[in-house]
Amino acid sequence: MPMKPVLEISGVSKSFTMHLQGGVTLPVMVNVTFDVRAGECVVIVGPSGAGKSSVLKMIYGSYGCDSGRIVVCHRGEAEDLVQASPRRILALRRETIGYVSQFLRAVPRVPALDVVVEPLVARGASRDEARDKAAAMLTRLNVPQRLFGLPPSTFSGGEQQRVNIARGLLPDYALLLLDEPTASLDAKNRAVVVDLINARKRGGAAIIAIVHDEDVRDAIADRIVDAVHFSAAA
Amino acid sequence: MTDDAPLLSARGVTKWYGRRLGCRSVGFDLYPGEVVAIVGESGSGKSTLLRLLTRQADLDAGTVSYRMRDGSLRDLAALTDAERAVLRRTDWGFVHQDASFGLRMSVSAGGNIGERLMSAGARHYGDIRAEAGRWLARVEIDEARLDDTPDTFSGGMRQRLQIACSLVTGPRLIFMDEPTGGLDVSVQARILDLLRGLVVDLGLSALIVTHDLGVARLLSHRIMVMKAGEVIESGLTDRVLDDPREPYTQLLVSSILPA
Amino acid sequence: MSAASYNFAYLDEQSKRMIRRAILKAIAIPGYQVPFASREMPMPYGWGTGGIQVTAAILGPDDVLKVIDQGSDDTTNAVSIRAFFAKVADVKTTTATTDATVIQTRHRVPETPLSDRQILVYQVPIPEPLRFLEPRETETRRLHALADYGLMHVKLYEDIARHGHIATAYAYPVMVAGRYLMDPSPVPKFDNPKISDCAALQLFGAGREKRIYAIPPYTRVVSLDFEDYPFERYRQSGTCALCGADDTFLDEVVTDDKGGRMFICSDSDYCEKRRETASAGEKPHD
């Protein structure tokens, strides 16, 4: 397919300057370059500390970049996230880029169902319709119904992670960033998540994932990118 | 945030108190539906900036413009006192750390909420009271407290009452100065959650002055970090907090107590 | 004359001119409180020094003065002020409402309708209707300037919330000519309708607070209220024990130590006139 990639990263470098440690500069990544196309899942591999999660955070905008380009293409428009304004990044997060982090950053008092509903409502879905979809998704991920109305901060790690996955995989983002989505799940739930990821691929999503579990990796990966090639630590 | 015209626009906002700097050359745009947190330590100029933006104090230099309901962007300095008063009591809301700035402590909760309605011309007691009751319930205060005065309320209830008083006229912009300062952690969480929900449901824009980075992370889309009267770093909330660039911001972030 | 050493009507001419300028401004801006340089008068604040200064400034040698206190011509305050002007201005005085050209009053509007050749001067203790809710003068002035009167309705709202009805019985706030919120001095709200569209000029003087305000003749004065709690006149139900009137404002008079009491007209002149007319009418039966 001669389609343009959904995401094109080229020449991205990243370092941290630690002012509290005498201004020491820690290089994290040098010259990150790869792309992801619609319907494709790229899995980033590499030893811990290689900066795999940092790549996802740069794409999502949580980290800045020192140089390079991160071009996201959605609905025919290409946008360089390295240069984009905060407002533009927020708009892309709402419309285009989904992110399932390693840990759910739970907001106090917000029930699990509303955590999942939120991105759908932000994209303009009606709350009732979003609730139905969210409930179905949580049920599919084996989150017991009695937990729907409770804030996830009281849940086990595995339950929190499934709420997080439901929240990230429910909207049809064109680009999905998954950071260890199955790390704290049992085999049954891992299989559900694999099915969900593959369904999103078939739906045309471009996916970048960090997965340690080899079975999961084999089940979802179309391509492997080794962080060693751009890790400053390597 | 689909609207591309800023609601509030500040340029070169500067204030001196004699030879002491209040704040210098602050410029930013606040868009509809956007929540911006102004963070910094006590004395960093963040409350001064809020007072300048709301024209409670005069600027020494710079401009603050506001998008009126008719769509025109007006320099607040060029508005008449009457126009500014109408803005303050209908289109803007205020939540102060000290509730006695925002409430009449010896007037009932219903009277406090009703004041802005009556200022706007409401003259039906039953309707005003019903509306006040609805807002009391919306901020999670028992409607049975409608006739009680805020001096009988807890700190958290007073903050929630302030929120109700501010929102009853359907404002587009709400200014908050340390809205959860001095409250217990559990009470704080409840108010933050309430504010978060209301801001989303009502499509409000908000400017929040806070020294609490946790509050900023929870409520805001963007952060401006102030130090010694100047904005030294600004950007997406998670980027400023997760990848801070300035030494001072790194110091602030590293000072957060683990949750 | 023992008062020969005083200027006409006690105050010097410059002071009277200053007060007249304040009065003219007050008439030009109905309901607006005009500050004036209140003078020391030979009686304490609270005894009507504001009203007396206004009366002194407008009184001419041909005027006929009536002074009432709570509707009565013969209470201490009324008698003293009447005697004061009889002495320092040598004007004629009267107790008959219809004969007077200037009527100084404390806390009542006469029952007899006033005419366009009369001036009613009110003694005012606290001229600012917003004062009880907003203690800062700078703030109340701002509220007046911006016609931001939601606060006054807050007071009425609180009345209804606490008492089930608007419990304010006197000094009931009014809007004058659709612009300024005004305290009509502590007259009972029974009198409020008489203040509106009145043929006489009405002047208000507050000596301690140094304010003069006015209602020009035939000015619309509206008592504040809610759509579902409209303004209501209030009077004690019953009839006057002396003249039998059933439509006047009544005073309660305790007659003995055993709980005996009676209601009589608060307006003593009105009550007397009714009794005179009645006894004149009854004469043929004797």
Side-chain angles (χ1 to χ4, degrees), chain B residues 102-124:
Chain B
L103 299 173
R104 298 187 190 280
M105 300 305 279
S106 57
V107 166
S108 72
N112 268 294
I113 299 173
E115 179 171 350
R116 277 167 74 115
L117 292 173
M118 292 184 259
S119 281
R123 291 292 178 266
H124 190 285

mmCIF file with all atom_site columns, all heavy atoms in Angstrom, chain B residues 102-124:
data_model
loop_
_atom_site.group_PDB
_atom_site.id
_atom_site.type_symbol
_atom_site.label_atom_id
_atom_site.label_alt_id
_atom_site.label_comp_id
_atom_site.label_asym_id
_atom_site.label_entity_id
_atom_site.label_seq_id
_atom_site.pdbx_PDB_ins_code
_atom_site.Cartn_x
_atom_site.Cartn_y
_atom_site.Cartn_z
_atom_site.occupancy
_atom_site.B_iso_or_equiv
_atom_site.pdbx_formal_charge
_atom_site.auth_seq_id
_atom_site.auth_comp_id
_atom_site.auth_asym_id
_atom_site.auth_atom_id
_atom_site.pdbx_PDB_model_num
ATOM 1   N N   . GLY B 1 102 ? -15.743 35.837 49.176 1.00 0.00 ? 102 GLY B N   1
ATOM 2   C CA  . GLY B 1 102 ? -16.671 35.515 48.108 1.00 0.00 ? 102 GLY B CA  1
ATOM 3   C C   . GLY B 1 102 ? -18.108 35.356 48.574 1.00 0.00 ? 102 GLY B C   1
ATOM 4   O O   . GLY B 1 102 ? -19.017 35.303 47.760 1.00 0.00 ? 102 GLY B O   1
ATOM 5   N N   . LEU B 1 103 ? -18.300 35.273 49.887 1.00 0.00 ? 103 LEU B N   1
ATOM 6   C CA  . LEU B 1 103 ? -19.650 35.034 50.416 1.00 0.00 ? 103 LEU B CA  1
ATOM 7   C C   . LEU B 1 103 ? -20.034 36.110 51.412 1.00 0.00 ? 103 LEU B C   1
ATOM 8   O O   . LEU B 1 103 ? -19.172 36.754 52.007 1.00 0.00 ? 103 LEU B O   1
ATOM 9   C CB  . LEU B 1 103 ? -19.688 33.675 51.138 1.00 0.00 ? 103 LEU B CB  1
ATOM 10  C CG  . LEU B 1 103 ? -19.371 32.431 50.324 1.00 0.00 ? 103 LEU B CG  1
ATOM 11  C CD1 . LEU B 1 103 ? -19.292 31.221 51.238 1.00 0.00 ? 103 LEU B CD1 1
ATOM 12  C CD2 . LEU B 1 103 ? -20.417 32.213 49.245 1.00 0.00 ? 103 LEU B CD2 1
ATOM 13  N N   . ARG B 1 104 ? -21.332 36.303 51.589 1.00 0.00 ? 104 ARG B N   1
ATOM 14  C CA  . ARG B 1 104 ? -21.819 37.119 52.710 1.00 0.00 ? 104 ARG B CA  1
ATOM 15  C C   . ARG B 1 104 ? -22.111 36.134 53.838 1.00 0.00 ? 104 ARG B C   1
ATOM 16  O O   . ARG B 1 104 ? -23.047 35.353 53.761 1.00 0.00 ? 104 ARG B O   1
ATOM 17  C CB  . ARG B 1 104 ? -23.064 37.893 52.309 1.00 0.00 ? 104 ARG B CB  1
ATOM 18  C CG  . ARG B 1 104 ? -22.760 38.855 51.187 1.00 0.00 ? 104 ARG B CG  1
ATOM 19  C CD  . ARG B 1 104 ? -23.909 39.772 50.868 1.00 0.00 ? 104 ARG B CD  1
ATOM 20  N NE  . ARG B 1 104 ? -23.605 40.494 49.643 1.00 0.00 ? 104 ARG B NE  1
ATOM 21  C CZ  . ARG B 1 104 ? -22.821 41.566 49.581 1.00 0.00 ? 104 ARG B CZ  1
ATOM 22  N NH1 . ARG B 1 104 ? -22.302 42.071 50.684 1.00 0.00 ? 104 ARG B NH1 1
ATOM 23  N NH2 . ARG B 1 104 ? -22.568 42.153 48.436 1.00 0.00 ? 104 ARG B NH2 1
ATOM 24  N N   . MET B 1 105 ? -21.273 36.199 54.872 1.00 0.00 ? 105 MET B N   1
ATOM 25  C CA  . MET B 1 105 ? -21.288 35.133 55.870 1.00 0.00 ? 105 MET B CA  1
ATOM 26  C C   . MET B 1 105 ? -22.564 35.131 56.713 1.00 0.00 ? 105 MET B C   1
ATOM 27  O O   . MET B 1 105 ? -22.909 34.126 57.309 1.00 0.00 ? 105 MET B O   1
ATOM 28  C CB  . MET B 1 105 ? -20.056 35.236 56.772 1.00 0.00 ? 105 MET B CB  1
ATOM 29  C CG  . MET B 1 105 ? -18.737 35.114 56.020 1.00 0.00 ? 105 MET B CG  1
ATOM 30  S SD  . MET B 1 105 ? -18.610 33.617 55.017 1.00 0.00 ? 105 MET B SD  1
ATOM 31  C CE  . MET B 1 105 ? -18.145 32.446 56.289 1.00 0.00 ? 105 MET B CE  1
ATOM 32  N N   . SER B 1 106 ? -23.279 36.258 56.783 1.00 0.00 ? 106 SER B N   1
ATOM 33  C CA  . SER B 1 106 ? -24.484 36.294 57.618 1.00 0.00 ? 106 SER B CA  1
ATOM 34  C C   . SER B 1 106 ? -25.760 36.244 56.777 1.00 0.00 ? 106 SER B C   1
ATOM 35  O O   . SER B 1 106 ? -26.850 36.451 57.284 1.00 0.00 ? 106 SER B O   1
ATOM 36  C CB  . SER B 1 106 ? -24.465 37.540 58.491 1.00 0.00 ? 106 SER B CB  1
ATOM 37  O OG  . SER B 1 106 ? -24.356 38.683 57.679 1.00 0.00 ? 106 SER B OG  1
ATOM 38  N N   . VAL B 1 107 ? -25.602 36.000 55.483 1.00 0.00 ? 107 VAL B N   1
ATOM 39  C CA  . VAL B 1 107 ? -26.756 35.843 54.602 1.00 0.00 ? 107 VAL B CA  1
ATOM 40  C C   . VAL B 1 107 ? -26.889 34.350 54.280 1.00 0.00 ? 107 VAL B C   1
ATOM 41  O O   . VAL B 1 107 ? -25.883 33.663 54.117 1.00 0.00 ? 107 VAL B O   1
ATOM 42  C CB  . VAL B 1 107 ? -26.564 36.679 53.308 1.00 0.00 ? 107 VAL B CB  1
ATOM 43  C CG1 . VAL B 1 107 ? -27.563 36.288 52.238 1.00 0.00 ? 107 VAL B CG1 1
ATOM 44  C CG2 . VAL B 1 107 ? -26.663 38.162 53.616 1.00 0.00 ? 107 VAL B CG2 1
ATOM 45  N N   . SER B 1 108 ? -28.116 33.848 54.206 1.00 0.00 ? 108 SER B N   1
ATOM 46  C CA  . SER B 1 108 ? -28.333 32.416 53.998 1.00 0.00 ? 108 SER B CA  1
ATOM 47  C C   . SER B 1 108 ? -27.674 31.926 52.703 1.00 0.00 ? 108 SER B C   1
ATOM 48  O O   . SER B 1 108 ? -27.398 32.721 51.798 1.00 0.00 ? 108 SER B O   1
ATOM 49  C CB  . SER B 1 108 ? -29.833 32.111 53.946 1.00 0.00 ? 108 SER B CB  1
ATOM 50  O OG  . SER B 1 108 ? -30.384 32.605 52.736 1.00 0.00 ? 108 SER B OG  1
ATOM 51  N N   . ALA B 1 109 ? -27.454 30.623 52.621 1.00 0.00 ? 109 ALA B N   1
ATOM 52  C CA  . ALA B 1 109 ? -26.865 30.034 51.411 1.00 0.00 ? 109 ALA B CA  1
ATOM 53  C C   . ALA B 1 109 ? -27.714 30.403 50.195 1.00 0.00 ? 109 ALA B C   1
ATOM 54  O O   . ALA B 1 109 ? -27.190 30.777 49.149 1.00 0.00 ? 109 ALA B O   1
ATOM 55  C CB  . ALA B 1 109 ? -26.768 28.515 51.567 1.00 0.00 ? 109 ALA B CB  1
ATOM 56  N N   . GLY B 1 110 ? -29.042 30.328 50.363 1.00 0.00 ? 110 GLY B N   1
ATOM 57  C CA  . GLY B 1 110 ? -29.943 30.670 49.259 1.00 0.00 ? 110 GLY B CA  1
ATOM 58  C C   . GLY B 1 110 ? -29.796 32.116 48.833 1.00 0.00 ? 110 GLY B C   1
ATOM 59  O O   . GLY B 1 110 ? -29.787 32.434 47.644 1.00 0.00 ? 110 GLY B O   1
ATOM 60  N N   . GLY B 1 111 ? -29.669 33.011 49.826 1.00 0.00 ? 111 GLY B N   1
ATOM 61  C CA  . GLY B 1 111 ? -29.489 34.430 49.524 1.00 0.00 ? 111 GLY B CA  1
ATOM 62  C C   . GLY B 1 111 ? -28.168 34.684 48.826 1.00 0.00 ? 111 GLY B C   1
ATOM 63  O O   . GLY B 1 111 ? -28.080 35.497 47.897 1.00 0.00 ? 111 GLY B O   1
ATOM 64  N N   . ASN B 1 112 ? -27.135 33.972 49.251 1.00 0.00 ? 112 ASN B N   1
ATOM 65  C CA  . ASN B 1 112 ? -25.828 34.114 48.605 1.00 0.00 ? 112 ASN B CA  1
ATOM 66  C C   . ASN B 1 112 ? -25.881 33.678 47.145 1.00 0.00 ? 112 ASN B C   1
ATOM 67  O O   . ASN B 1 112 ? -25.380 34.367 46.264 1.00 0.00 ? 112 ASN B O   1
ATOM 68  C CB  . ASN B 1 112 ? -24.777 33.284 49.358 1.00 0.00 ? 112 ASN B CB  1
ATOM 69  C CG  . ASN B 1 112 ? -24.052 34.078 50.422 1.00 0.00 ? 112 ASN B CG  1
ATOM 70  O OD1 . ASN B 1 112 ? -23.309 35.021 50.112 1.00 0.00 ? 112 ASN B OD1 1
ATOM 71  N ND2 . ASN B 1 112 ? -24.286 33.746 51.676 1.00 0.00 ? 112 ASN B ND2 1
ATOM 72  N N   . ILE B 1 113 ? -26.501 32.526 46.907 1.00 0.00 ? 113 ILE B N   1
ATOM 73  C CA  . ILE B 1 113 ? -26.575 32.052 45.522 1.00 0.00 ? 113 ILE B CA  1
ATOM 74  C C   . ILE B 1 113 ? -27.492 32.968 44.706 1.00 0.00 ? 113 ILE B C   1
ATOM 75  O O   . ILE B 1 113 ? -27.226 33.261 43.548 1.00 0.00 ? 113 ILE B O   1
ATOM 76  C CB  . ILE B 1 113 ? -27.088 30.595 45.465 1.00 0.00 ? 113 ILE B CB  1
ATOM 77  C CG1 . ILE B 1 113 ? -26.139 29.668 46.226 1.00 0.00 ? 113 ILE B CG1 1
ATOM 78  C CG2 . ILE B 1 113 ? -27.229 30.123 44.026 1.00 0.00 ? 113 ILE B CG2 1
ATOM 79  C CD1 . ILE B 1 113 ? -26.644 28.240 46.358 1.00 0.00 ? 113 ILE B CD1 1
ATOM 80  N N   . GLY B 1 114 ? -28.573 33.428 45.375 1.00 0.00 ? 114 GLY B N   1
ATOM 81  C CA  . GLY B 1 114 ? -29.560 34.244 44.665 1.00 0.00 ? 114 GLY B CA  1
ATOM 82  C C   . GLY B 1 114 ? -29.078 35.632 44.299 1.00 0.00 ? 114 GLY B C   1
ATOM 83  O O   . GLY B 1 114 ? -29.622 36.256 43.393 1.00 0.00 ? 114 GLY B O   1
ATOM 84  N N   . GLU B 1 115 ? -28.028 36.121 45.001 1.00 0.00 ? 115 GLU B N   1
ATOM 85  C CA  . GLU B 1 115 ? -27.637 37.517 44.792 1.00 0.00 ? 115 GLU B CA  1
ATOM 86  C C   . GLU B 1 115 ? -27.316 37.824 43.332 1.00 0.00 ? 115 GLU B C   1
ATOM 87  O O   . GLU B 1 115 ? -27.762 38.827 42.775 1.00 0.00 ? 115 GLU B O   1
ATOM 88  C CB  . GLU B 1 115 ? -26.439 37.879 45.676 1.00 0.00 ? 115 GLU B CB  1
ATOM 89  C CG  . GLU B 1 115 ? -26.009 39.334 45.456 1.00 0.00 ? 115 GLU B CG  1
ATOM 90  C CD  . GLU B 1 115 ? -24.963 39.813 46.452 1.00 0.00 ? 115 GLU B CD  1
ATOM 91  O OE1 . GLU B 1 115 ? -24.693 39.103 47.427 1.00 0.00 ? 115 GLU B OE1 1
ATOM 92  O OE2 . GLU B 1 115 ? -24.436 40.925 46.238 1.00 0.00 ? 115 GLU B OE2 1
ATOM 93  N N   . ARG B 1 116 ? -26.528 36.921 42.717 1.00 0.00 ? 116 ARG B N   1
ATOM 94  C CA  . ARG B 1 116 ? -26.169 37.191 41.321 1.00 0.00 ? 116 ARG B CA  1
ATOM 95  C C   . ARG B 1 116 ? -27.399 37.141 40.411 1.00 0.00 ? 116 ARG B C   1
ATOM 96  O O   . ARG B 1 116 ? -27.504 37.889 39.447 1.00 0.00 ? 116 ARG B O   1
ATOM 97  C CB  . ARG B 1 116 ? -25.097 36.212 40.841 1.00 0.00 ? 116 ARG B CB  1
ATOM 98  C CG  . ARG B 1 116 ? -23.698 36.658 41.247 1.00 0.00 ? 116 ARG B CG  1
ATOM 99  C CD  . ARG B 1 116 ? -22.680 35.571 41.064 1.00 0.00 ? 116 ARG B CD  1
ATOM 100 N NE  . ARG B 1 116 ? -22.331 35.337 39.682 1.00 0.00 ? 116 ARG B NE  1
ATOM 101 C CZ  . ARG B 1 116 ? -21.111 35.554 39.168 1.00 0.00 ? 116 ARG B CZ  1
ATOM 102 N NH1 . ARG B 1 116 ? -20.154 36.041 39.921 1.00 0.00 ? 116 ARG B NH1 1
ATOM 103 N NH2 . ARG B 1 116 ? -20.861 35.316 37.911 1.00 0.00 ? 116 ARG B NH2 1
ATOM 104 N N   . LEU B 1 117 ? -28.343 36.258 40.736 1.00 0.00 ? 117 LEU B N   1
ATOM 105 C CA  . LEU B 1 117 ? -29.575 36.199 39.943 1.00 0.00 ? 117 LEU B CA  1
ATOM 106 C C   . LEU B 1 117 ? -30.367 37.487 40.094 1.00 0.00 ? 117 LEU B C   1
ATOM 107 O O   . LEU B 1 117 ? -30.884 38.043 39.127 1.00 0.00 ? 117 LEU B O   1
ATOM 108 C CB  . LEU B 1 117 ? -30.434 35.016 40.394 1.00 0.00 ? 117 LEU B CB  1
ATOM 109 C CG  . LEU B 1 117 ? -29.880 33.622 40.110 1.00 0.00 ? 117 LEU B CG  1
ATOM 110 C CD1 . LEU B 1 117 ? -30.754 32.571 40.772 1.00 0.00 ? 117 LEU B CD1 1
ATOM 111 C CD2 . LEU B 1 117 ? -29.808 33.386 38.607 1.00 0.00 ? 117 LEU B CD2 1
ATOM 112 N N   . MET B 1 118 ? -30.460 37.967 41.351 1.00 0.00 ? 118 MET B N   1
ATOM 113 C CA  . MET B 1 118 ? -31.238 39.178 41.599 1.00 0.00 ? 118 MET B CA  1
ATOM 114 C C   . MET B 1 118 ? -30.542 40.393 40.991 1.00 0.00 ? 118 MET B C   1
ATOM 115 O O   . MET B 1 118 ? -31.194 41.302 40.486 1.00 0.00 ? 118 MET B O   1
ATOM 116 C CB  . MET B 1 118 ? -31.471 39.344 43.102 1.00 0.00 ? 118 MET B CB  1
ATOM 117 C CG  . MET B 1 118 ? -32.411 38.266 43.658 1.00 0.00 ? 118 MET B CG  1
ATOM 118 S SD  . MET B 1 118 ? -32.827 38.460 45.404 1.00 0.00 ? 118 MET B SD  1
ATOM 119 C CE  . MET B 1 118 ? -31.752 37.255 46.157 1.00 0.00 ? 118 MET B CE  1
ATOM 120 N N   . SER B 1 119 ? -29.201 40.388 41.018 1.00 0.00 ? 119 SER B N   1
ATOM 121 C CA  . SER B 1 119 ? -28.464 41.466 40.355 1.00 0.00 ? 119 SER B CA  1
ATOM 122 C C   . SER B 1 119 ? -28.751 41.467 38.861 1.00 0.00 ? 119 SER B C   1
ATOM 123 O O   . SER B 1 119 ? -28.771 42.504 38.222 1.00 0.00 ? 119 SER B O   1
ATOM 124 C CB  . SER B 1 119 ? -26.955 41.309 40.574 1.00 0.00 ? 119 SER B CB  1
ATOM 125 O OG  . SER B 1 119 ? -26.604 41.777 41.847 1.00 0.00 ? 119 SER B OG  1
ATOM 126 N N   . ALA B 1 120 ? -28.959 40.279 38.333 1.00 0.00 ? 120 ALA B N   1
ATOM 127 C CA  . ALA B 1 120 ? -29.227 40.170 36.900 1.00 0.00 ? 120 ALA B CA  1
ATOM 128 C C   . ALA B 1 120 ? -30.707 40.401 36.586 1.00 0.00 ? 120 ALA B C   1
ATOM 129 O O   . ALA B 1 120 ? -31.116 40.291 35.440 1.00 0.00 ? 120 ALA B O   1
ATOM 130 C CB  . ALA B 1 120 ? -28.786 38.802 36.390 1.00 0.00 ? 120 ALA B CB  1
ATOM 131 N N   . GLY B 1 121 ? -31.508 40.705 37.641 1.00 0.00 ? 121 GLY B N   1
ATOM 132 C CA  . GLY B 1 121 ? -32.888 41.101 37.389 1.00 0.00 ? 121 GLY B CA  1
ATOM 133 C C   . GLY B 1 121 ? -33.950 40.082 37.775 1.00 0.00 ? 121 GLY B C   1
ATOM 134 O O   . GLY B 1 121 ? -35.132 40.344 37.578 1.00 0.00 ? 121 GLY B O   1
ATOM 135 N N   . ALA B 1 122 ? -33.552 38.931 38.330 1.00 0.00 ? 122 ALA B N   1
ATOM 136 C CA  . ALA B 1 122 ? -34.559 37.946 38.733 1.00 0.00 ? 122 ALA B CA  1
ATOM 137 C C   . ALA B 1 122 ? -35.416 38.528 39.858 1.00 0.00 ? 122 ALA B C   1
ATOM 138 O O   . ALA B 1 122 ? -34.893 39.099 40.809 1.00 0.00 ? 122 ALA B O   1
ATOM 139 C CB  . ALA B 1 122 ? -33.889 36.657 39.198 1.00 0.00 ? 122 ALA B CB  1
ATOM 140 N N   . ARG B 1 123 ? -36.736 38.402 39.757 1.00 0.00 ? 123 ARG B N   1
ATOM 141 C CA  . ARG B 1 123 ? -37.629 39.015 40.737 1.00 0.00 ? 123 ARG B CA  1
ATOM 142 C C   . ARG B 1 123 ? -38.723 38.063 41.199 1.00 0.00 ? 123 ARG B C   1
ATOM 143 O O   . ARG B 1 123 ? -39.740 38.496 41.700 1.00 0.00 ? 123 ARG B O   1
ATOM 144 C CB  . ARG B 1 123 ? -38.282 40.281 40.129 1.00 0.00 ? 123 ARG B CB  1
ATOM 145 C CG  . ARG B 1 123 ? -37.329 41.432 39.903 1.00 0.00 ? 123 ARG B CG  1
ATOM 146 C CD  . ARG B 1 123 ? -36.820 42.023 41.213 1.00 0.00 ? 123 ARG B CD  1
ATOM 147 N NE  . ARG B 1 123 ? -35.881 43.098 41.003 1.00 0.00 ? 123 ARG B NE  1
ATOM 148 C CZ  . ARG B 1 123 ? -34.557 42.942 40.978 1.00 0.00 ? 123 ARG B CZ  1
ATOM 149 N NH1 . ARG B 1 123 ? -34.030 41.748 41.137 1.00 0.00 ? 123 ARG B NH1 1
ATOM 150 N NH2 . ARG B 1 123 ? -33.765 43.971 40.789 1.00 0.00 ? 123 ARG B NH2 1
ATOM 151 N N   . HIS B 1 124 ? -38.514 36.768 40.987 1.00 0.00 ? 124 HIS B N   1
ATOM 152 C CA  . HIS B 1 124 ? -39.522 35.801 41.449 1.00 0.00 ? 124 HIS B CA  1
ATOM 153 C C   . HIS B 1 124 ? -38.884 34.977 42.562 1.00 0.00 ? 124 HIS B C   1
ATOM 154 O O   . HIS B 1 124 ? -37.990 34.155 42.303 1.00 0.00 ? 124 HIS B O   1
ATOM 155 C CB  . HIS B 1 124 ? -39.971 34.922 40.287 1.00 0.00 ? 124 HIS B CB  1
ATOM 156 C CG  . HIS B 1 124 ? -41.166 34.073 40.617 1.00 0.00 ? 124 HIS B CG  1
ATOM 157 N ND1 . HIS B 1 124 ? -41.072 32.949 41.411 1.00 0.00 ? 124 HIS B ND1 1
ATOM 158 C CD2 . HIS B 1 124 ? -42.477 34.196 40.297 1.00 0.00 ? 124 HIS B CD2 1
ATOM 159 C CE1 . HIS B 1 124 ? -42.267 32.410 41.546 1.00 0.00 ? 124 HIS B CE1 1
ATOM 160 N NE2 . HIS B 1 124 ? -43.137 33.142 40.878 1.00 0.00 ? 124 HIS B NE2 1
#
